Amino acid sequence: QVQLAESGGGSVQSGGSLRISCVASGYTDTSYCMAWFRQAPGKEREGVAYIDSDGTPNYADSVKGRFTISRDNAEHTLYLEMNSLKPEDTAMYSCATAEENYNKYGQIICDNYNYWGQGTQVTVSS
């Protein structure tokens, strides 16, 4: 059974940095996408970034240039390095995984996230 466990959240001042991690257990291979989502109080959950098994990252426009997603396939661990944090980055950050699919061009498609962690809180004060 797949389980995801996040860690590393906390409180920082605006402009600060944090790195959060997510360990995925229960996988026997690495052919899965990994992603970070966040949800602030009163707002809908939004995708922050995702990365496929080849290490190709994708980012939401709101975090491009500030956040870096990476993964260690040997350790089944996902990371999110967050720099230049803003108060609007305050949210519960959750990791999620999805089986990789391919489009007709042979490109990896990351969607249908079906495993989720409990989340780690990130709070940025002004």
Side-chain angles (χ1 to χ4, degrees), residues 71-109:
R71 62 190 285 175
D72 182 335
N73 284 338
E75 300 294 329
H76 294 279
T77 301
L78 177 70
Y79 302 99
L80 187 67
E81 184 75 36
M82 302 180 288
N83 298 313
S84 302
L85 282 161
K86 306 174 182 180
E88 51 264 44
D89 294 318
T90 295
M92 181 69 75
Y93 285 70
S94 300
C95 67
T97 60
E99 180 180 351
E100 289 183 337
N101 293 301
Y102 296 85
N103 63 17
K104 62 181 179 179
Y105 304 108
Q107 297 168 322
I108 295 174
I109 302 297

